[in-house]
Amino acid sequence: MAPKFREGDAVVAFSGKWVSWAHTMVAYSAFIGALVVGLSLHYHKIVQNEYYGYPQEWFPSVSSTIGDRYPERAVFQFFIAMTSGPRFVLVFLWYVLTARPNTTLPKVVAGVGLFRTLSCGGWTYVTSTDDHGWHDIFMISYLVATLPWTLGCLALSPNNPRAVKYRKILAGSFFGTLVPLIYYFIQHKVHKVPGAYTTYAFYEWALILFDVGFDAVTALDFDGFELIIRDVKDSSRGKSQQFADVVLQKEKNKPIRTVLGSEIIWAEALDAAADVYNGYVFWTMLTSLGLTVWYFPLWHMGISGYEVMVMCTVSPFLLVNASIRSFVIKNVRIVHLLSLGGLLAYLVKTPELRLFSVGFGVSMSCLAWSATWYAERSQQHRLESRVLAWSIGLIVSSVAKFAFWTNNPIWPIMHAENGGWNKSGLLLAVVAILRSTRTVTDNRGGVDLANRPKTSPFPASLGLAGLFFGMHSLLSDSSTMILWVWEGFPVRGPIAANGVLTIAAMGAGVLIGIFFQGGVSSWAYLFLSGVGAFILTTYYNWFGYMGALLLATSLMSIATPLVTSAVRHGPVTFGLGFLMYNIMVLAHVWVVAYAFVPGGPLMREHTDWVMMATVIFLAAGIYALPGAENINKRRPRSLKITSSRYSTYYTYVLVFVELIALAISYLRFPTNDYIPYHRDDKIITAGIWTIHFSLDNDMWSSERRMRDLIKELEIDVIGLLESDLQRIIMGNRDTTQYLAEDLGMYVDYGPGPNKHTWGSALLSKFPIVNSTHHLLPSPVGELAPAIHATLDAYGELIDVIVFHSGQEEDPEDRRLQSEYLAKLMRDSPRPLILLSYLVIKPNEGNYQTYVGDKSGMKDIDPSDWDRWCEYILYKGIRRSGYARVSRSTITDTELQVGKFVVGQPESSNEQMDEDQVPEGLRFPSMFRAAAALAEKEEETALPQKTRLSSQEMTYIGDSVLYSRAKFSKFIRDHEDHLNAAAERSRSDMVVFSAYAYRAEKRSRDLIQLKVAADLKLCYDIVLYGNRFIVATPAIPTNLPSPLRVAKASRANALPDIISMRREESEAPVTTAANDPGAAGSSKDNVVMVEAQGVQMELDG
């Protein structure tokens, strides 16, 4: 219909193309004008960056050109302000050009264009100097909005071949430029390559040219528009003018692609979002199961019995029974709601009960999803939609972990204090279940009954197992495969922030599965999966990561055909699939835990076998598929259209999730501008800590508590042991990412999960110039990892080695490892610090190899006779301080810290009072006993049951030491005596539950240590390092003879600083040695009993 106009004269009429040209010319003028002015007035300043200046860098980046310098900034902002008018009109005209009845995409694209324009104004007029946070928010918003704007314009392009051609060229050039842009940015920021920033700058300017040029193409489309201003009141003759309607008329014949242009039915869109969130909840609970199971063998140092909970995933076997199957399908909403017990588990404090709650939730979730898939078997489009939601749910889970530094915020090991979003996640889960389970169809004839395969369901179940295991072990965290190919510094491959590429590959796989379902079901496509697995397993750095991306894409794309095939073979397929998946999970554990499990040596270090089995299982699933020509042959055209419409919603959700991942990657990219704590004094504060796989003693994620202690101790360099968490049983996590980014440190993650160690990692405030990973000789026991790194500390090169030796039970392994490491340390020409876990007693056995002429190393404190695991050694650098810090309930091992002065030679072992030490060389004052205790008393009132009396000892003097075996024997031999004492003093009892290590059995036995607390026997028992400390008014005479004690000969053998951290009901206690002025000090009132690796919790 022709447009209607009011009567009146046309005052102004011009072609719509001039809007595009005006926008293009003014926008280019803003950038080019600022560049010309900057080069003319401030050339050397704008080419300077944080590392290099002219002549290494000779061309400025966009950000430095349009930054804070006058007049460049004024020129840029002036022209950008002029650009805003044509820009708003351009977005409006594009909407008018592309709008169609009953279509929503033009409105969405117009909204994105408007948002993009406003965000451009945000980062233009709010500079990083004005407000860095808001500047980044606007910039990220603009970059994120560019993708849907570009894709939307391509999808809605009119039938103008020339315009479409230019759009494709410019869009392809824009996105293609991102790859070298990121590469050279990494070369500059991470590798500090001279001249890399100049090359990066050229690609950055190219992005500007392509971005503005893409919108300039609209001039070809708007050429058919005429904009007319009519004077309907004759006001143009000497009076105010008024704009009338904009006249526009243009015909478009080319249809928009159904998948992007169909009308959005918001009810269906909400259903899709709810389904995806349900998929996210499923993956959240499944990934938390192994993590909560792992806690128990970790403390038992072997099989605990709780491992049987991994079998809770086989609940779909219940669907084999027709009555149960019918009941579950009819009440699938209830089953889904019951599965939320896995999310509610965070409310359960007792680890055992929390595990049972998670196990119940996982069993219900596996049952509910299997029943849902089976029930939808007669509605092919609904079945495929459910599988899509489940697959995208995994991507959402991976993005959530990407945002929360590899922790899922609604895991049962999370709570509000350590960064959990449990309440919000649970509320959304309830809403999503109520929404997505409104309708679940049961089969009434159809696909399943008409074409039920006559073959065994076993091949199809193997396909499911391979799919479940591959997705869980490799794709549940975006950084897992990145760490597979990590080889240390200098960086030659992806880093954690590049996890967005893994997520993008997963998303690409989902889209391939939507549009090319027949192709992904072929043997040729499976071959690509095998190639990806081979490259990932065999190669490292970027080439190895290319295999990872290929594998990620192929795994996600074959999910729909494999699950659909399983449905056709009946419900038993899901039970068998999860059973075989569990076997794969155990094999995945056996390759590294071979020293602690039955039959372990058979699977030792055979990740390659596990990868081969995964591909073979997938091949079995492909074998069980119906022929590609039969996949859609019975589907009516109406169902294909419906399926396409449902796919549209999941595509939108997927694109939204991918954009979030892109923004997270931008925010998480390392700044590499870290500053040590005491640079004026040229101090290196170095520590070694065994972090117990980042699970504290109560089964909570411990990263934030670790962060706090490291920050409070002002540690510049720290080695972390037991740090490799990138396995199913550990939740596919990586603690170092959070610590490095929050504390501002460079990080070497150490040998990857495919190197079959328990992990060693290095974090440093100083740039890591080079690092090499070593696997030391271990012919019998577990592998011993080491990192040999060279740091640039205050302009001097300092070597640091982080090392975890083998087990006590393998003396030959430890001897070979000591000789290997001694040679490595002796051959280093630079000052060196060893941060290690050695499993030796001072001055005995392999200690002489690590310390002395063979290695050239010195012990940080030769007088500290009370060590077994952790040691700090050094050479060629001055040692100025040493401390042992209690781990409280954070881990099972203390934190040892040493201070070193760079540029000064080694010193003697003479000790001095703290007031004789310069302020910068001291440990933080908060760790002094009297001050810390006073602060705690002022901040909070301690619980009565754990408040210590005024006679509580802060000075550790006399002690009795028992070996681990003797401690266990003492408890057994005197249990009756202790029980009798407890009976006599029941009203004043304090009961402690302790895990005491029994060396001869290599396991931990639960014992009850009962001690009378009537002020005749003791005031309290606390845990210091690896010992029980019994504080008493005097050495009691009525204790059993093994506890009657001769005074220790060396009061100064204990550390200068001890921090006793307690949580909640436990009392905050700080204890310092060598402090005669500490309140209540006495040399006659402490009994110490050694118990290596003890966990103790107050019970009463």
Side-chain angles (χ1 to χ4, degrees):
M1 179 183 296
K4 296 180 180 180
F5 303 103
R6 299 183 190 182
E7 294 294 333
D9 296 331
V11 178
V12 178
F14 59 92
S15 173
K17 68 180 180 181
W18 293 112
V19 173
S20 300
W21 284 118
H23 172 268
T24 304
M25 298 307 296
V26 180
Y28 278 143
S29 297
F31 289 96
I32 296 175
L35 176 63
V36 171
V37 173
L39 292 175
S40 303
L41 301 179
H42 303 124
Y43 174 70
H44 287 90
K45 290 182 179 180
I46 62 177
V47 299
Q48 177 76 39
N49 57 56
E50 65 266 47
Y51 303 127
Y52 304 103
Y54 183 84
Q56 290 91 349
E57 308 290 1
W58 53 271
F59 197 78
S61 66
V62 175
S63 54
S64 63
T65 301
I66 65 176
D68 297 330
R69 289 184 179 84
Y70 177 85
E72 297 95 310
R73 175 182 177 182
V75 170
F76 176 71
Q77 291 183 342
F78 174 78
F79 281 102
I80 286 295
M82 294 178 61
T83 308
S84 61
R87 179 69 197 177
F88 284 116
V89 177
L90 185 149
V91 173
F92 173 71
L93 290 182
W94 181 257
Y95 169 72
V96 173
L97 176 66
T98 58
R100 285 288 183 274
N102 301 321
T103 59
T104 307
L105 184 60
K107 297 183 179 68
V108 174
V109 173
V112 171
L114 181 63
F115 172 77
R116 188 165 171 263
T117 303
L118 295 175
S119 61
C120 176
W123 61 259
T124 298
Y125 293 98
V126 181
T127 68
S128 58
T129 303
D130 298 332
D131 191 314
H132 187 77
W134 277 106
H135 177 80
D136 281 351
I137 290 173
F138 287 125
M139 177 61 76
I140 293 171
S141 300
Y142 181 83
L143 294 174
V144 167
T146 298
L147 180 61
W149 169 257
T150 303
L151 296 179
C153 289
L154 285 171
L156 295 174
S157 290
N159 189 17
N160 186 334
R162 187 180 174 199
V164 171
K165 174 185 174 181
Y166 287 141
R167 280 198 181 93
K168 289 181 178 179
I169 292 174
L170 290 167
S173 300
F174 180 90
F175 292 113
T177 301
L178 292 175
V179 176
L181 179 88
I182 295 172
Y183 172 78
Y184 282 104
F185 182 76
I186 293 174
Q187 292 296 306
H188 161 72
K189 201 70 175 178
V190 178
H191 303 292
K192 302 177 184 176
V193 175
Y197 199 66
T198 293
T199 308
Y200 162 82
F202 281 109
Y203 285 109
E204 191 179 22
W205 282 103
L207 283 182
I208 299 298
L209 297 176
F210 296 144
D211 188 20
V212 177
F214 182 85
D215 292 331
V217 178
T218 56
L220 300 175
D221 298 310
F222 295 167
D223 191 34
F225 280 165
E226 185 178 29
L227 276 68
I228 301 175
I229 301 175
R230 289 185 179 276
D231 182 2
V232 298
K233 293 185 178 180
D234 200 27
S235 57
S236 62
R237 307 184 187 280
K239 295 188 178 182
S240 61
Q241 294 183 343
Q242 179 181 8
F243 280 99
D245 298 336
V246 177
V247 181
L248 33 90
Q249 183 177 8
K250 192 170 180 72
E251 290 296 328
K252 296 189 301 178
N253 300 318
K254 185 177 180 180
I256 301 170
R257 291 202 58 171
T258 305
V259 72
L260 291 176
S262 60
E263 178 187 4
I264 292 180
I265 302 175
W266 290 107
E268 293 179 350
L270 289 175
D271 288 340
D275 285 347
V276 168
Y277 192 85
N278 280 342
Y280 163 63
V281 171
F282 168 85
W283 286 107
T284 295
M285 288 190 286
L286 184 65
T287 54
S288 71
L289 177 62
L291 183 56
T292 50
V293 168
W294 170 240
Y295 171 86
F296 297 94
L298 183 60
W299 280 107
H300 284 77
M301 294 293 288
I303 300 293
S304 66
Y306 291 99
E307 294 81 3
V308 71
M309 290 300 296
V310 300
M311 288 298 170
C312 68
T313 58
V314 301
S315 56
F317 272 126
L318 295 173
L319 299 177
V320 175
N321 183 283
S323 300
I324 297 177
R325 181 170 67 246
S326 176
F327 176 82
V328 172
I329 291 175
K330 291 178 180 177
N331 299 278
V332 71
R333 171 179 284 182
I334 295 175
V335 180
H336 270 295
L337 289 172
L338 288 175
S339 73
L340 297 185
L343 299 188
L344 284 167
Y346 83 99
L347 297 173
V348 181
K349 305 302 181 185
T350 305
E352 294 84 356
L353 297 180
R354 202 183 323 162
L355 169 62
F356 295 149
S357 180
V358 171
F360 175 77
V362 171
S363 65
M364 291 295 100
S365 187
C366 293
L367 183 65
W369 274 94
S370 299
T372 300
W373 286 334
Y374 187 73
E376 304 283 17
R377 64 196 183 280
S378 63
Q379 302 289 330
Q380 187 76 4
H381 69 281
R382 289 177 58 88
L383 173 59
E384 292 177 359
S385 297
R386 300 285 189 178
V387 180
L388 274 178
W390 177 78
S391 301
I392 300 174
L394 175 63
I395 299 178
V396 174
S397 175
S398 189
V399 171
K401 293 181 67 181
F402 191 36
F404 286 82
W405 300 276
T406 73
N407 272 330
N408 190 315
I410 61 175
W411 266 345
I413 64 166
M414 306 295 291
H415 49 68
E417 289 73 18
N418 65 2
W421 288 19
N422 306 79
K423 294 179 182 178
S424 301
L426 180 63
L427 177 62
L428 290 175
V430 172
V431 173
I433 289 175
L434 295 178
R435 178 80 195 182
S436 66
T437 57
R438 290 175 304 142
T439 57
V440 176
T441 58
D442 195 3
N443 189 67
R444 297 292 182 264
V447 175
D448 183 70
L449 298 180
N451 295 299
R452 181 156 186 166
K454 305 300 182 182
T455 57
S456 168
F458 189 65
S461 68
L462 290 180
L464 275 186
L467 177 68
F468 294 161
F469 177 76
M471 296 171 79
H472 189 172
S473 64
L474 299 175
L475 305 183
S476 63
D477 185 81
S478 61
S479 62
T480 297
M481 294 186 293
I482 289 176
L483 297 189
W484 274 52
V485 300
W486 171 255
E487 284 286 279
F489 286 82
V491 178
R492 301 176 295 277
I495 59 176
N498 299 133
V500 66
L501 300 178
T502 305
I503 295 170
M506 294 168 67
V510 171
L511 294 177
I512 291 172
I514 292 175
F515 296 110
F516 306 100
Q517 190 175 122
V520 302
S521 304
S522 66
W523 290 104
Y525 196 78
L526 176 68
F527 176 75
L528 293 179
S529 303
V531 170
F534 173 78
I535 295 175
L536 172 63
T537 308
T538 309
Y539 296 93
Y540 301 98
N541 301 318
W542 280 111
F543 184 68
Y545 189 57
M546 294 302 103
L549 297 180
L550 181 59
L551 183 58
T553 303
S554 59
L555 277 173
M556 296 300 294
S557 59
I558 61 176
T560 297
L562 289 183
V563 174
T564 303
S565 173
V567 168
R568 295 167 59 86
H569 284 83
V572 69
T573 313
F574 294 103
L576 285 172
F578 277 111
L579 177 63
M580 298 306 298
Y581 153 81
N582 289 338
I583 294 174
M584 290 291 289
V585 170
L586 295 178
H588 165 76
V589 176
W590 256 235
V591 299
V592 65
Y594 51 83
F596 303 93
V597 294
L602 179 64
M603 289 295 298
R604 172 175 176 156
E605 303 175 50
H606 276 303
T607 292
D608 53 345
W609 290 5
V610 175
M611 292 295 286
M612 289 174 58
T614 303
V615 175
I616 292 172
F617 280 18
L618 293 175
I622 296 296
Y623 171 79
L625 290 176
E629 68 279 1
N630 296 324
I631 291 179
N632 295 315
K633 104 177 154 177
R634 292 182 177 270
R635 295 174 63 182
R637 178 176 177 81
S638 60
L639 285 183
K640 293 181 181 180
I641 296 174
T642 303
S643 178
S644 179
R645 190 176 76 247
Y646 275 98
S647 299
T648 300
Y649 305 132
Y650 293 107
T651 302
Y652 287 146
V653 173
L654 178 61
V655 170
F656 176 73
V657 172
E658 295 286 349
L659 292 176
I660 292 176
L662 185 63
I664 295 168
S665 178
Y666 178 87
L667 292 173
R668 287 195 53 191
F669 205 90
T671 59
N672 294 336
D673 55 355
Y674 314 126
I675 300 173
Y677 289 100
H678 297 283
R679 57 179 173 177
D680 293 337
D681 299 297
K682 300 185 73 174
I683 291 293
I684 296 177
T685 304
I688 180 67
W689 202 1
T690 306
I691 61 173
H692 215 227
F693 303 97
S694 298
L695 282 179
D696 71 13
N697 296 1
D698 300 313
M699 204 165 78
W700 300 111
S701 182
S702 58
E703 290 91 348
R704 293 184 182 236
R705 297 176 65 198
M706 291 165 53
R707 182 259 335 254
D708 293 341
L709 184 54
I710 293 172
K711 183 182 293 185
E712 290 165 358
L713 280 166
E714 299 177 349
I715 295 176
D716 301 307
V717 179
I718 187 167
L720 302 179
L721 304 175
E722 296 183 355
S723 58
D724 185 359
L725 317 180
Q726 286 289 1
R727 294 184 178 83
I728 287 176
I729 54 170
M730 301 161 193
N732 290 96
R733 299 181 295 151
D734 179 18
T735 300
T736 64
Q737 293 182 32
Y738 175 75
L739 295 179
E741 293 179 34
D742 192 271
L743 294 170
M745 304 177 86
Y746 301 91
V747 57
D748 186 334
Y749 312 97
N754 54 338
K755 298 295 180 60
H756 315 102
T757 77
W758 295 119
S760 61
L762 172 67
L763 291 92
S764 170
K765 288 280 188 181
F766 305 101
I768 302 176
V769 178
N770 184 78
S771 64
T772 306
H773 301 161
H774 297 263
L775 298 179
L776 276 63
S778 305
V780 178
E782 60 186 27
L783 294 182
I787 301 173
H788 182 194
T790 301
L791 311 181
D792 180 0
Y794 309 113
E796 295 193 27
L797 297 181
I798 307 294
D799 281 3
V800 174
I801 295 179
V802 181
F803 169 61
H804 191 313
S805 77
Q807 299 167 268
E808 181 185 5
E809 293 79 5
D810 303 312
E812 179 62 14
D813 283 13
R814 290 188 292 113
R815 184 188 67 80
L816 294 172
Q817 292 159 12
S818 68
E819 293 178 351
Y820 183 103
L821 194 64
K823 183 179 185 303
L824 185 65
M825 294 187 293
R826 183 181 67 246
D827 292 344
S828 172
R830 294 174 288 272
L832 189 147
I833 301 171
L834 174 68
L835 308 171
S836 60
Y837 188 103
L838 300 182
V839 195
I840 54 174
K841 292 183 179 180
N843 300 307
E844 296 183 14
N846 295 325
Y847 178 89
Q848 308 300 338
T849 305
Y850 290 115
V851 179
D853 295 337
K854 290 185 178 180
S855 64
M857 303 294 290
K858 293 185 177 181
D859 193 341
I860 194 169
D861 186 2
S863 66
D864 186 358
W865 44 264
D866 184 32
R867 287 173 295 171
W868 172 252
C869 296
E870 294 177 345
Y871 285 79
I872 300 177
L873 310 181
Y874 70 99
K875 76 171 184 178
I877 191 171
R878 180 190 164 197
R879 166 214 52 192
S880 64
Y882 169 52
R884 295 171 63 179
V885 183
S886 171
R887 77 313 191 268
S888 179
T889 60
I890 301 177
T891 80
D892 67 340
T893 310
E894 67 185 17
L895 169 60
Q896 289 191 13
V897 185
K899 282 186 175 289
F900 301 90
V901 184
V902 175
Q904 297 188 17
E906 299 175 4
S907 57
S908 67
N909 291 322
E910 179 184 356
Q911 299 186 18
M912 63 181 68
D913 293 333
E914 186 179 43
D915 55 11
Q916 297 178 294
V917 178
E919 185 69 29
L921 274 62
R922 302 179 188 178
F923 287 96
S925 59
M926 67 175 296
F927 290 94
R928 294 195 196 99
L933 189 57
E935 289 176 7
K936 293 293 184 181
E937 289 287 351
E938 290 174 2
E939 290 175 4
T940 181
L942 305 182
Q944 183 62 36
K945 67 177 181 179
T946 57
R947 181 185 289 276
L948 304 181
S949 73
S950 60
Q951 301 182 56
E952 179 231 342
M953 298 333 330
T954 58
Y955 176 76
I956 307 299
D958 305 320
S959 62
V960 179
L961 301 176
Y962 280 88
S963 68
R964 296 183 299 278
K966 287 183 178 179
F967 176 78
S968 299
K969 185 176 185 300
F970 163 73
I971 296 299
R972 293 194 301 270
D973 293 347
H974 298 87
E975 185 175 2
D976 293 339
H977 181 96
L978 293 174
N979 286 336
E983 193 67 30
R984 289 194 300 270
S985 306
R986 182 175 298 278
S987 61
D988 295 311
M989 269 329 274
V990 178
V991 179
F992 294 92
S993 297
Y995 283 98
Y997 184 87
R998 297 183 62 184
E1000 65 275 12
K1001 289 189 176 181
R1002 215 177 54 185
S1003 65
R1004 295 169 187 252
D1005 292 345
L1006 180 63
I1007 61 171
Q1008 293 294 322
L1009 174 61
K1010 299 178 180 179
V1011 182
D1014 58 358
L1015 302 185
K1016 294 180 181 179
L1017 293 181
C1018 72
Y1019 286 127
D1020 194 11
I1021 294 183
V1022 296
L1023 187 63
Y1024 157 63
N1026 295 321
R1027 286 166 300 228
F1028 291 117
I1029 299 179
V1030 184
T1032 67
I1035 299 299
T1037 58
N1038 55 343
L1039 280 179
S1041 56
L1043 281 181
R1044 301 191 64 181
V1045 47
K1047 294 182 179 180
S1049 59
R1050 307 171 73 127
N1052 64 354
L1054 295 171
D1056 295 326
I1057 298 172
I1058 304 166
S1059 170
M1060 297 293 299
R1061 295 173 178 269
R1062 298 268 188 103
E1063 286 205 308
E1064 297 177 357
S1065 63
E1066 293 184 274
V1069 181
T1070 303
T1071 308
N1074 303 323
D1075 184 7
S1081 295
S1082 171
K1083 289 189 176 182
D1084 297 321
N1085 55 7
V1086 175
V1087 176
M1088 295 168 54
V1089 182
E1090 180 187 46
Q1092 178 72 21
V1094 173
Q1095 176 201 15
M1096 186 167 67
E1097 54 188 20
L1098 185 61
D1099 192 36

